[in-house]
Amino acid sequence: MLNLERLRTLDAVARHGSVSGAADGLHVTTSAVSQQLSKLEREVGQQLLAKNGRGVRLTDAGLLLAQHAARILSQVELAQADIEAQRGQVVGEVRLAAFPTAARGLIPGALASLRAAHPDLLVRTTELEPDPGVRAVLRGDADLAIVLDWSNKRAPVPGGLERAHLLDDSADVALPVGHRLAGRETVDLVDFAEEEWVSWPEGEFCHDWLMFTLRSQGIEPRIGHLAGEHHTQLALVAAGLGVCVTPRLGRPLPEGVVFVPVRQTMRRHIYATWRTDAGRRPSVRAVVSALRAAAEAVPGAGQAVPGVAGAA
C-alpha cells in the first residue's frame, strides 16, 4: 500500500524541481523530504531519484510514479471538497496567498470577520507576487491567491482556475514635496519623460506593466532604482531620487511625498483566484465572501487622493 504523504512529497519534488523547493512548498525540512522519499523508494522497490550535478532528478520510475501521484492527489482533493460541501460547514484550513498591498489592505479585515463568523476555520496567509501566487494555486501549495492585472495590460486566467473580482484600485504618481510638478492637481505621463523612475524588480508583472505603459506614451523609461516594497520605493522618492507609481490600496504614508493623479487613468483590477474544484468548499467560498466585503470597505476606492502624505 502506497503512503499518501510520501506520494505528496514525490509530487512536490516533481512540481518544484528540487528537494529544497519541495521542502519550502510543504513547509518541512529538506531532511524530512529526503526521509519520505527514501521510505517511498523502499515501498516501491525502485530508485526514484538520481543525482544531477548538485541537485537531483527523477528517474523514469520516479517520473511515472509522480504522474500517478498527481492524479491520486487530485482525486483526494476532490473527495475532500465534496465531503466538505456535503457537510456545508466552514471548517478546516485554507491557505491564502496575496501580493503585499493586498495583504496589507484587504487581509486583516477579511480575517477578522472570518474569525468572528467561523471560529473553526483556520486561514494561513503568505505574501506572494501575483505570478508566483497563481503558480502556487495551480501547484496546490495555496488554496486561494489575491492577484492583479492592469486596465491596459490584462492577465489571462489559466485553465483550471476561477476568479472573482474584488475591486479596482487606482494609482497615482508619487513625487518629492519639492518637485516642480508637486503642486499640480493632475499630471500627464509625458511630463515625466526625463525623470528617473523607481520601479518594481525586473521580471515582476508590475515592472513589465510600467515599461509597457511608459513606452506606449513615447517615453523610454529611465529606471534609477528597483524595489519590491512600496515603503522602500517611497523612501527613495522622498529622498529626491526619482518618482514612482503608487496604487492606493494599503498605501503607506511617508513624510515628504506628494501623490498626484494622472490624466491617463492607471488602474489595477484585483481578483481572488482558486482551483475550479476547490470552489465547492464552503471554506473557500467563505474566504472569497470575506475578501469581497473587505474590498467594499476600502476607503476612498476609485477617488482621487492628491496631497502631501503625512500632512493631514
Side-chain angles (χ1 to χ4, degrees):
M1 180 71 69
L2 294 172
N3 179 281
L4 187 61
E5 285 308 307
R6 289 166 198 157
L7 289 178
R8 195 182 305 278
T9 302
L10 179 65
D11 176 67
V13 172
R15 288 186 286 104
H16 290 277
S18 68
V19 169
S20 60
D24 289 341
L26 295 170
H27 304 290
V28 298
T29 64
T30 55
S31 176
V33 170
S34 297
Q35 290 174 18
Q36 290 282 61
L37 293 174
S38 294
K39 291 177 181 177
L40 185 58
E41 286 183 328
R42 289 198 293 272
E43 284 180 349
V44 301
Q46 294 197 61
Q47 184 180 0
L48 302 176
L49 293 179
K51 289 186 177 181
N52 184 28
R54 295 184 178 180
V56 296
R57 61 172 178 82
L58 293 178
T59 63
D60 289 344
L63 287 169
L64 179 62
L65 186 56
Q67 291 169 0
H68 284 289
R71 289 193 291 269
I72 291 167
L73 294 170
S74 177
Q75 285 300 117
V76 169
E77 183 175 350
L78 186 58
Q80 291 173 332
D82 284 344
I83 290 296
E84 187 179 323
Q86 188 179 51
R87 285 201 312 258
Q89 297 175 337
V90 181
V91 296
E93 178 179 304
V94 172
R95 299 158 299 168
L96 173 62
F99 59 92
T101 50
R104 184 166 57 243
L106 293 179
I107 283 183
L111 294 194
S113 67
L114 285 167
R115 178 170 291 184
H118 307 291
D120 293 326
L121 175 66
L122 174 63
V123 182
R124 298 191 182 278
T125 64
T126 186
E127 284 191 3
L128 284 177
E129 291 297 329
D131 287 345
V134 168
R135 291 195 295 271
V137 173
L138 286 169
R139 289 195 306 262
D141 294 335
D143 299 301
L144 286 151
I146 305 178
V147 299
L148 66 86
D149 60 21
W150 291 83
S151 55
N152 63 336
K153 190 173 178 63
R154 309 307 294 269
V157 182
L161 297 187
E162 294 183 18
R163 71 181 184 184
H165 179 260
L166 299 178
L167 77 157
D168 288 344
D169 181 31
S170 295
D172 309 305
V173 174
L175 312 171
V177 290
H179 193 279
R180 59 188 173 82
L181 301 175
R184 295 272 193 92
E185 291 187 4
T186 59
V187 290
D188 288 306
L189 284 176
V190 293
D191 294 333
F192 302 99
E194 303 303 320
E195 298 283 346
E196 270 197 328
W197 287 85
V198 180
S199 177
W200 295 268
E202 292 181 7
E204 288 191 7
F205 181 77
C206 287
H207 175 85
D208 294 342
W209 165 81
L210 181 62
M211 302 299 99
F212 170 81
T213 299
L214 293 176
R215 285 169 177 154
S216 70
Q217 298 295 314
I219 302 168
E220 184 54 36
R222 297 176 57 218
I223 306 300
H225 305 280
L226 300 173
E229 264 292 332
H230 287 297
H231 288 86
T232 306
Q233 293 180 2
L234 292 175
L236 291 165
V237 172
L241 300 174
V243 301
C244 72
V245 170
T246 306
R248 296 174 187 172
L249 177 65
R251 175 183 290 174
L253 298 175
E255 296 284 349
V257 175
V258 175
F259 300 109
V260 183
V262 180
R263 293 189 186 93
Q264 299 86 359
T265 301
M266 299 185 295
R267 184 175 291 117
R268 305 188 300 179
H269 306 296
I270 298 175
Y271 308 91
T273 188
W274 62 91
R275 292 182 303 282
T276 300
D277 53 9
R280 309 182 193 196
R281 296 172 54 189
S283 56
V284 169
R285 295 199 300 269
V287 172
V288 173
S289 178
L291 289 171
R292 280 174 159 162
E296 290 174 359
V298 171
Q303 300 174 9
V305 244
V308 179

